[in-house]
Amino acid sequence: MSGHRQDGLSFATLRAAEAVIETKSLTGAALKLGISQPAISMHLGRLERAIGTSLIKKVGNKIIVKEEISRLIRQVLDLERRLKTVGYERNMSKLKVGICTYCAPLLVERRNTLGKMRESLTLRIADSRRLEEMYEQGELDAVFRALYPSEIAPDLTTEFSMKWVGEKHLLDFMKHDGQGLPLVLPSPHSPPGGVAREWLRRQEVVYDVVGEVDDIMTAIRLVSSGIALSPLPAYVRDSPSVNLNGCAQILPGQLDARYGMFFDERRFNLRAALDIFELLKDELARVPPLLEVARPSLAAHQ
């Protein structure tokens, strides 16, 4: 009896099979589901023992999927997804949307443009790493966060740029040999932090990290106080809640990162996800008034 339970079909096994069907690759299926390739192979073995035949066959380096079996698997999983939505409309709680700290002030300020939908949303604000964990654990219905450089992007993706902003007197640190430019950076394990450090490495900038913060409002306060410069999103320069008087773009150029919108299709329909995504995308891409660029250029201080 225990052997029967072990070889029985689970939805996890069917989802692994579905990923193989879609990617036609064990490696691709593992990447899609975020599990190991041996785990995919284990699920396939379990499926084959349960149904008495194989799902795939290999011809050289190619994987051919048996269409009749794959069609049945899709039908079962589609039914599972439909059943999970039963009662959602009647017992719907507020949708929980995770927003990265670097975009949260933007959405809060522009929230009224979401119309009636804003009444059904609860915002959870955290750094990108924490949002990723919360979404994977089912604590969030949707999340808008920065993407890691090698991360596979979701369908809803946009570019995100940041400028190196600080008070002009910080240029004095660049005029003396051996003194690094004082910086406030996001954590090196976060997407913005990784992008910032890679940019500095490529430009051969000598710098000193005086603080690591993943909260943009803290970074803005430190920049405004003249302690250090930091990579700040373009939108903060015309935000009514941000005071950057006396600050300039210290380093030329910009940091380019990617942001993506992930959402649970069982709770969040595509229209709602698009409304939030388009709002953030348009505001992030909007060109603010020019911020004075401090001189001299990078080349003089490398």
Side-chain angles (χ1 to χ4, degrees):
M1 185 174 294
S2 60
H4 174 72
R5 285 198 301 269
Q6 182 180 359
D7 290 341
L9 286 177
S10 67
F11 284 116
T13 291
L14 292 176
R15 281 189 284 271
E18 181 186 44
V20 173
I21 293 167
E22 292 177 352
T23 63
K24 291 183 170 58
S25 162
L26 299 185
T27 301
L31 288 172
K32 180 179 177 64
L33 296 180
I35 62 178
S36 66
Q37 185 171 327
I40 293 291
S41 299
M42 179 195 71
H43 281 300
L44 282 186
R46 187 172 295 166
L47 173 70
E48 291 171 355
R49 288 193 297 273
I51 65 177
T53 186
S54 60
L55 170 66
I56 62 175
K57 64 178 180 179
K58 292 185 178 180
V59 179
N61 293 326
K62 293 183 178 180
I63 287 181
I64 298 176
V65 178
K66 294 183 178 179
E67 188 57 36
E68 183 178 358
I69 300 174
S70 66
R71 185 168 58 250
L72 290 172
I73 289 172
R74 286 193 175 105
Q75 288 174 352
V76 171
L77 288 175
D78 182 60
L79 178 61
E80 180 221 12
R81 292 170 184 131
R82 290 173 182 269
L83 287 172
K84 283 187 174 181
T85 64
V86 173
Y88 269 2
E89 291 298 323
R90 185 174 62 252
N91 301 310
M92 181 70 76
S93 59
K94 283 196 171 186
L95 296 170
K96 297 179 288 293
V97 182
I99 303 294
C100 174
T101 59
Y102 271 64
C103 296
L106 184 60
L107 183 59
V108 171
E109 288 178 3
R110 313 293 198 270
R111 198 162 181 245
N112 286 338
T113 62
L114 293 173
K116 292 182 179 180
M117 188 175 68
R118 71 180 186 273
E119 303 300 331
S120 64
L121 301 178
T122 298
L123 300 183
R124 304 286 179 87
I125 300 170
D127 63 83
S128 291
R129 288 180 300 158
R130 177 61 183 141
L131 290 177
E132 181 184 17
E133 295 171 358
M134 294 171 69
Y135 183 71
E136 290 178 351
Q137 294 168 6
E139 298 174 21
L140 296 172
D141 302 307
V143 62
F144 186 81
R145 64 169 176 82
L147 302 175
Y148 297 94
S150 59
E151 185 175 5
I152 299 175
D155 292 336
L156 302 180
T157 307
T158 187
E159 295 295 319
F160 182 74
S161 64
M162 294 182 285
K163 305 282 188 179
W164 295 98
V165 178
E167 289 194 359
K168 294 179 183 178
H169 75 84
L170 295 173
L171 287 172
D172 293 338
F173 287 89
M174 302 176 70
K175 296 175 182 178
H176 301 92
D177 294 338
Q179 284 191 300
L181 194 60
L183 302 182
V184 169
L185 296 177
S187 163
H189 303 295
S190 69
V195 169
R197 286 166 175 79
E198 176 60 21
W199 189 93
L200 292 164
R201 185 193 66 79
R202 290 199 311 267
Q203 300 296 330
E204 299 181 357
V205 177
V206 178
Y207 64 94
D208 179 26
V209 179
V210 299
E212 290 185 353
V213 295
D214 288 310
D215 173 11
I216 189 168
M217 297 311 294
T218 301
I220 289 171
R221 283 194 291 271
L222 292 171
V223 168
S224 299
S225 68
I227 293 176
L229 70 149
S230 186
L232 297 180
Y235 78 81
V236 305
R237 284 173 279 167
D238 68 337
S239 172
S241 63
V242 175
N243 180 9
L244 287 174
N245 290 336
C247 293
Q249 181 180 340
I250 299 294
L251 302 179
Q254 66 182 31
L255 283 67
D256 294 316
R258 299 175 303 156
Y259 265 67
M261 182 84 180
F262 300 83
F263 61 97
D264 185 344
E265 295 178 359
R266 296 171 301 172
R267 291 269 285 162
F268 233 83
N269 63 50
L270 179 59
R271 182 67 264 165
L274 275 172
D275 285 343
I276 296 175
F277 174 77
E278 290 297 335
L279 168 64
L280 290 166
K281 176 185 175 183
D282 291 345
E283 292 295 336
L284 288 174
R286 190 157 58 92
V287 179
L290 290 176
L291 186 68
E292 178 186 356
V293 179
R295 290 292 185 266
S297 66
L298 260 182
H301 306 291
Q302 293 177 5

